[in-house]
Amino acid sequence: MSKEFESGDVLSFLNQERQLAKKREANTRIGDFNEIYFQGKENNLKRQADRCLDCGNPYCEWKCPLHNYIPNWLEMVSNNQFEKAATLMHATNPLPEICGRVCPQDRLCEQACTLNTGFGAVTIGAIEKNIADMALANNWRPDLSLVKPTNKTVAIVGAGPAGLGCAELLVRNGVKAIVYDKYPEIGGLLTFGIPGFKLEKEILVKRRKYLEDLGVVFKLNTEIGKDINIGELQSSNDFIFLGMGTYCAVDGNLKGRELGNVVQSLDYLIGNVNKQQSYAMHDFPYNDFKGKDVIVLGGGDTAMDCVRSAIRQQAKSVTCVYRKDELAMPGSRTEIQNAKEEGVNFIFDLQPLEITSNGVKCERTDFDELKYKDKQIFLASDKVILAFGFKASPADWFDNIGIKVEQSGLTQTSEQQTSVENIFAGGDMVSGADLVVTAIAQGRDAAKKILESF
Ligand code: FAD
Ligand code: SF4
């Protein structure tokens, strides 16, 4: 049995190595869509948290878009004060279990950690995930008994990270928050995009219950502009927050993109969730790639989610084709590594030119006559997934009520205020396809602006 951990060793960062969460073996994990990381043991979490130097100027905290009180809750974890640490995490972040799982810590807090200079950064993400999971499992809730109710109501369109970030801060301040979403569950792309092996769907169900306990009201399966008119929301609420995301898939005008063997990344991913969760979302049919040779075009997080999903569907082969070199790939390094371990092939420096019924014609972007015979190359495949990213998708009712958009279609805002009084916006629809944590931060910024205006 391992010795019970005692905090306070000032040389902990030297005596205790950075230890990442253990992963399931690749050949086992590709047999299902469950998460790949094991839960951390309490003693290990305390040991890892104790490595923190408690820097006077915590770079980790500055780099985090939510400015989470990282060194403070790390100290609580190392002192066995898990519930207190969870409370502090929730003071700045309504979804810490999600950020712990999907934030690119290697570009944010852990990259900025003082120990990331040869000693190994503190494992901030893994600790955040495990402690926030404890909060959900044990029904730990913040004490809101002293909150004075206001008589204000805010309608929130979109139950993604931006909408949830806004709603949670409002209810903590006595404002009634009603969140509308056209989908059958909360989460936006967290539920209908990111696959279960990165984020199990039950987490969002637990988080919905948590938010409902705090007083957030959800009206799901309700599309604003179709089931309810935006004018109705304007007349029955003091403010509106829009967190509607970006859903117009970029297709690169690629020849052959309309062929039957081609599928858009998000349609493919939502089709999987729809089947696994038995939702009745008829616009998202299931694509079964068992036994198929699959090519995924693109190199971001969405592409990684697609290649790893196809591997789990038992595709015969899965190849990711990216137009630049590996270093230029925008996807998280961790996810690229996970995809490699799971058997995905990568081909770099290839620009797709045309999709045909049996593959993709490409051109080498690193062509050199001494290295290659031909500039063009044909890759055979049964199925092609397009993962080129997303453009703004402003609603057709924006114009009617005067919401202005940029030329790109992104919603114009100044400090989250749109061109219409009392209507705020945030997340991907304002900044373009970005990150969960930045969407949450913008939702919270909008809530702060709303609260200031009372
Ligand atoms: P969304 O999450 O898109 O939520 C918008 C919500 O608004 C949706 O639920 C939608 O149904 C609803 N809605 C829209 N219009 C209406 C309407 N008229 N009426 C009612 N409801 C409406 N980020 C990371 O940080 N880490 C990752 O690992 C990561 N992986 C990703 C993988 C994929 C496949 C994708 C596509 C994105 C990924 N992202 C990741 C990006 C991240 O998911 C987004 O940046 C984030 O979800 C944006 O949040 P949001 O609230 O702005 O929008
Ligand atoms: Fe601790 Fe690293 Fe943050 Fe410093 S930068 S407070 S060592 S987690």
Side-chain angles (χ1 to χ4, degrees), residues 101-104 157-164 180-183 185-190 192-195 198 222-226 243-247 265-266 269 301-303 305-306 332 335 390 395 397 426-429 432-440:
R101 284 174 166 81
V102 304
C103 270
V157 185
L164 299 180
Y180 298 86
D181 203 293
K182 61 183 176 186
Y183 286 158
E185 185 52 272
I186 71 162
L189 290 170
L190 304 177
F192 302 98
I194 298 177
K198 265 166 70 183
T222 308
E223 181 169 348
I224 303 306
K226 189 170 147 213
M244 298 160 60
T246 49
Y247 283 90
S265 58
L266 202 53
L269 294 171
D301 282 330
T302 308
D305 290 349
C306 290
S332 146
E335 299 308 325
F390 304 93
W397 42 263
D428 282 2
M429 67 180 286
D434 197 8
L435 293 176
V436 171
V437 68
T438 46
I440 300 174

Side-chain angles (χ1 to χ4, degrees), residues 197-212:
F197 49 81
K198 265 166 70 183
L199 173 58
E200 282 174 12
K201 303 301 151 194
E202 291 67 34
I203 308 276
L204 270 305
V205 177
K206 287 186 195 160
R207 184 47 73 180
R208 173 165 49 75
K209 293 196 174 119
Y210 175 105
L211 291 167
E212 284 170 340

Side-chain angles (χ1 to χ4, degrees), residues 146-165:
L146 296 179
V147 173
K148 290 202 182 77
T150 66
N151 58 356
K152 307 284 186 195
T153 308
V154 179
I156 291 164
V157 185
L164 299 180

Side-chain angles (χ1 to χ4, degrees), residues 34-78:
N34 299 334
E35 285 185 10
I36 69 167
Y37 294 102
F38 290 108
Q39 287 298 93
K41 296 210 168 66
E42 287 188 7
N43 232 6
N44 280 347
L45 295 174
K46 290 190 277 186
R47 273 185 218 285
Q48 289 295 311
D50 197 49
R51 295 183 68 246
C52 172
L53 303 174
D54 191 14
C55 304
N57 186 359
Y59 299 111
C60 54
E61 190 172 316
W62 286 114
K63 189 78 183 222
C64 170
L66 289 167
H67 305 303
N68 288 334
Y69 304 127
I70 296 166
N72 307 69
W73 48 250
L74 286 173
E75 189 179 357
M76 291 169 185
V77 173
S78 73

Side-chain angles (χ1 to χ4, degrees), residues 14-144:
L14 284 177
N15 297 336
Q16 176 67 52
E17 270 186 7
R18 167 181 159 97
Q19 218 173 64
L20 284 166
K22 293 213 164 34
K23 288 189 262 190
R24 296 161 65 206
E25 290 296 329
N27 57 359
T28 318
R29 68 189 196 230
I30 59 171
D32 58 53
F33 275 72
N34 299 334
E35 285 185 10
I36 69 167
Y37 294 102
F38 290 108
Q39 287 298 93
K41 296 210 168 66
E42 287 188 7
N43 232 6
N44 280 347
L45 295 174
K46 290 190 277 186
R47 273 185 218 285
Q48 289 295 311
D50 197 49
R51 295 183 68 246
C52 172
L53 303 174
D54 191 14
C55 304
N57 186 359
Y59 299 111
C60 54
E61 190 172 316
W62 286 114
K63 189 78 183 222
C64 170
L66 289 167
H67 305 303
N68 288 334
Y69 304 127
I70 296 166
N72 307 69
W73 48 250
L74 286 173
E75 189 179 357
M76 291 169 185
V77 173
S78 73
N79 286 322
N80 213 22
Q81 297 168 310
F82 298 136
E83 188 168 354
K84 219 169 146 187
T87 304
L88 192 60
M89 282 176 186
H90 282 89
T92 51
N93 185 357
L95 308 171
E97 75 291 354
I98 310 246
C99 287
R101 284 174 166 81
V102 304
C103 270
Q105 287 98 9
D106 51 3
R107 280 198 273 143
L108 296 173
C109 55
E110 294 184 17
Q111 191 248 322
C113 175
T114 309
L115 291 177
N116 192 26
T117 47
F119 298 100
V122 178
T123 51
I124 301 168
I127 296 169
E128 183 182 38
K129 165 194 178 264
N130 281 276
I131 301 299
D133 278 352
M134 277 184 209
L136 289 178
N138 294 300
N139 289 322
W140 294 338
R141 303 286 187 258
D143 177 8
L144 300 186

Side-chain angles (χ1 to χ4, degrees), residues 328-352:
M329 282 179 93
S332 146
R333 300 296 112 186
T334 313
E335 299 308 325
I336 296 167
Q337 179 56 29
N338 286 335
K340 284 184 179 173
E341 288 168 11
E342 291 167 8
V344 175
N345 311 308
F346 285 83
I347 307 185
F348 301 106
D349 301 306
L350 274 192
Q351 174 76 46

Side-chain angles (χ1 to χ4, degrees), residues 319-383:
T319 306
C320 174
V321 174
Y322 183 55
R323 69 199 158 92
K324 296 187 187 166
D325 64 15
E326 181 166 1
L327 279 180
M329 282 179 93
S332 146
R333 300 296 112 186
T334 313
E335 299 308 325
I336 296 167
Q337 179 56 29
N338 286 335
K340 284 184 179 173
E341 288 168 11
E342 291 167 8
V344 175
N345 311 308
F346 285 83
I347 307 185
F348 301 106
D349 301 306
L350 274 192
Q351 174 76 46
L353 298 177
E354 180 184 352
I355 305 172
T356 67
S357 58
N358 59 347
V360 187
K361 280 185 201 160
C362 303
E363 186 168 86
R364 297 184 195 279
T365 53
D366 65 341
F367 181 67
D368 174 344
E369 282 168 356
L370 298 175
K371 210 159 121 197
Y372 303 110
K373 196 165 140 263
D374 298 309
K375 190 165 187 190
Q376 291 196 355
I377 170 174
F378 182 78
L379 302 174
S381 78
D382 302 307
K383 300 286 175 186

